[in-house]
Amino acid sequence: MIAHLVTIALLVVVLLKLYQRIGLRLGILDYPSNRGQHAHPVVVGAGIVITLVVVFVIGLLGWFDKSVLNNPLVFLAVGACLGVIGFLDDLYQLSPGTRLMFYFLGSIVFIASQPVPFEQGMFWVLTVVLLCIALVWVTNLYNFMDGLDGFATVQAIAVLGGMAILAALSPAPAHELIGMLLVPCAALVPFLFFNWAPASMFLGDAGSVFLGFYLGAMGLVAFNVQPTLAIAWLILMAPFLVDATLTLLLRVAAGNSPYIPHRDHCYQRLARMTGKASLCTLGLGFLQLCWQFPLAWWATMGDSPTWLVVIFSVIPSLCLLVYSRQAT
């Protein structure tokens, strides 16, 4: 597996170099805006390389097991389609309604292909609806949180890598998830060198939408395989879930439209306060390594009440959110 992962990383480097040249030549650039933190145009949409490599490699190598992922080709097809939709959004700025329509369609198709813990009936319909809303929200919030150099990339590596370690330490059925968790990690690690502040390339919607869907789908699959692994997913995702969800609720409560790009997220406020995007990204990595992952391991391996561990996991994110809003 190690040889495969190294090959994936090298392939991504070559393709990213090629995409960078094409992006500069064709003007596929993200210009400074109210949402972003960058001061100069940057090549955007490089996430399409991550999307296509991950989908192709997992499909080619067959690193999935139908016992833990029903209809894996449906999962890969939906992920690829959402990545392409994101890339089109990078190029042509699709409307929020159009994007959400595709997110919902993709989520419905994927969830309908997976086992739901109820027989068909009222509870089955309600469960499917709630799962679709949750998956769309995770997909969308990841796009919201991709506004700082290296930030979304580090989060994805931390969540996928952390889950891969915990899956390796878990009972045998969870081992089938390891390949699906490590392939995107192998693609994202070399991308981080291009995405680190000051970034020369951005994921764009092509990458953030795909990663949001991929991470959300892995949370659902983890629940079907081993519920404690899904709790670990929730803990590792906590920094993004707390920031994106509470920021949106606070903006709506203040009378702001949820569709207007902004820089009110906790990580954006902290970046303006420190003046360094890299400092915030390093802070996220430190938080994941020293707080989120140990708690995720505790929830998976320990005997403590999982609800208590989840509460502990959101404390730093809540404190940072409150501090950032009071200080700016």
Side-chain angles (χ1 to χ4, degrees):
M1 178 178 287
I2 294 177
H4 284 120
L5 296 177
V6 172
T7 302
I8 292 167
L10 293 175
L11 174 63
V12 168
V13 170
V14 173
L15 293 178
L16 285 174
K17 286 283 189 181
L18 178 61
Y19 181 84
Q20 187 175 35
R21 295 183 63 180
I22 294 173
L24 289 171
R25 180 170 297 181
L26 298 182
I28 308 175
L29 304 173
D30 185 41
Y31 294 90
S33 65
N34 291 332
R35 178 188 170 190
Q37 303 287 130
H38 56 295
H40 305 286
V42 178
V43 174
V44 71
I48 194 65
V49 172
I50 308 298
T51 298
L52 296 179
V53 167
V54 170
V55 169
F56 177 77
V57 169
I58 291 179
L60 180 66
L61 298 180
W63 281 5
F64 49 75
D65 192 308
K66 292 184 179 180
S67 65
V68 299
L69 180 64
N70 282 4
N71 298 311
L73 294 181
V74 171
F75 165 67
L76 295 175
V78 170
C81 288
L82 290 180
V84 171
I85 294 299
F87 187 64
L88 292 176
D89 188 32
D90 290 326
L91 295 178
Y92 304 112
Q93 298 296 306
L94 304 178
S95 68
T98 301
R99 296 198 303 268
L100 282 175
M101 178 188 69
F102 283 110
Y103 298 169
F104 268 107
L105 285 175
S107 298
I108 291 169
V109 171
F110 170 70
I111 290 173
S113 70
Q114 301 303 306
V116 176
F118 295 105
E119 295 183 0
Q120 291 196 2
M122 182 181 67
F123 286 109
W124 184 88
V125 172
L126 180 61
T127 302
V128 169
V129 170
L130 291 176
L131 288 175
C132 284
I133 293 174
L135 186 53
V136 169
W137 175 233
V138 173
T139 303
N140 211 32
L141 77 82
Y142 213 84
N143 189 23
F144 291 163
M145 298 295 287
D146 181 27
L148 198 66
D149 295 353
F151 201 69
T153 307
V154 166
Q155 171 71 0
I157 293 171
V159 175
L160 294 166
M163 286 186 68
I165 294 172
L166 295 174
L169 299 174
S170 298
H175 296 177
E176 304 298 338
L177 293 175
I178 295 174
M180 297 187 65
L181 295 168
L182 289 182
V183 168
C185 278
L188 286 168
V189 168
F191 175 72
L192 185 59
F193 290 93
F194 295 91
N195 195 220
W196 194 261
S200 60
M201 278 189 284
F202 289 158
L203 282 170
D205 288 3
S208 61
V209 170
F210 171 74
L211 287 175
F213 169 77
Y214 199 99
L215 288 168
M218 286 297 98
L220 176 61
V221 173
F223 179 81
N224 290 331
V225 173
Q226 184 184 345
T228 55
L229 193 58
I231 298 298
W233 175 91
L234 183 64
I235 292 170
L236 294 170
M237 283 291 293
F240 270 35
L241 293 172
V242 170
D243 190 351
T245 304
L246 292 184
T247 298
L248 178 66
L249 292 176
L250 289 171
R251 283 182 56 79
V252 171
N256 296 308
S257 171
Y259 303 111
I260 296 177
H262 61 85
R263 296 200 295 178
D264 284 346
H265 288 291
C266 172
Y267 76 93
Q268 293 169 322
R269 290 172 178 268
L270 292 174
R272 292 197 297 274
M273 290 169 58
T274 61
K276 293 184 178 180
S278 58
L279 192 59
C280 292
T281 303
L282 284 172
L284 174 64
F286 182 81
L287 176 64
Q288 286 285 1
L289 183 63
C290 298
W291 187 260
Q292 306 301 139
F293 180 77
L295 289 178
W297 177 85
W298 189 16
T300 306
M301 307 299 171
D303 298 325
S304 300
T306 53
W307 63 268
L308 183 62
V309 183
V310 171
I311 290 175
F312 278 138
S313 73
V314 303
I315 290 175
S317 300
L318 288 173
C319 291
L320 286 171
L321 181 67
V322 172
Y323 170 74
S324 68
R325 299 188 75 86
Q326 289 180 342
T328 56

